[in-house]
Amino acid sequence: MNLEMQQFKAEFFKALAHPLRIRILELLSDGDKSVNEIQTLVGSEGSAVSQQLTILRAKNIVTGTKEGNKVIYTLKDPMIIELLAVARQIFNNHLVDTITILDKFKEVDEEAAATPKN
């Protein structure tokens, strides 16, 4: 059972491992959208958006529903919104850590510059 869960997680995260797919999911977090709406919002050509939507659909991360002559995409599981929020928080924590380290280096450099040299 554990191996199946690890495999699922690996495949799931592989499906998320593209900046455009993440952007699409962020947009869908705000509500359902058509392909044209997504294309306009990401500023990308249709083939790139369609390709990424196909991958997300194949992994059951989004669903597409035909409405007239367009397909409306929605998140399959609303917990994706929480996952993206957690990823954003991890990024922010990483950024804070990086800034703290850089500030320490800056202090050391300033102290070294202020110390008279013989």
Side-chain angles (χ1 to χ4, degrees):
M1 179 73 152
N2 216 8
L3 184 59
E4 289 93 9
M5 178 57 72
Q6 291 166 345
Q7 187 64 38
F8 169 81
K9 288 177 182 179
E11 292 298 319
F12 178 78
F13 284 113
K14 266 195 256 182
L16 299 181
H18 191 284
L20 183 52
R21 290 195 289 266
I22 296 293
R23 181 68 184 125
I24 290 169
L25 294 175
E26 289 172 341
L27 292 171
L28 293 176
S29 294
D30 294 332
D32 302 352
K33 302 210 175 6
S34 71
V35 177
N36 288 340
E37 288 175 298
I38 295 169
Q39 286 173 250
T40 300
L41 291 167
V42 300
S44 184
E45 62 186 54
S47 62
V49 169
S50 293
Q51 180 182 21
Q52 301 311 324
L53 284 167
T54 298
I55 292 167
L56 292 170
R57 232 176 44 222
K59 295 296 182 181
N60 285 319
I61 295 172
V62 301
T63 58
T65 308
K66 193 119 169 106
E67 288 186 12
N69 63 346
K70 57 185 170 182
V71 178
I72 304 297
Y73 283 91
T74 186
L75 295 175
K76 177 102 173 167
D77 189 330
M79 289 196 71
I80 294 287
I81 298 167
E82 293 177 46
L83 179 66
L84 294 172
V86 168
R88 187 177 304 113
Q89 187 59 50
I90 291 169
F91 172 79
N92 289 341
N93 293 345
H94 177 73
L95 199 56
V96 167
D97 289 345
T98 302
I99 290 169
T100 302
I101 290 168
L102 290 174
D103 285 346
K104 287 180 182 173
F105 282 135
K106 184 178 174 186
E107 288 174 17
V108 168
D109 287 346
E110 288 171 353
E111 288 173 11
T115 304
K117 295 178 175 70
N118 294 338

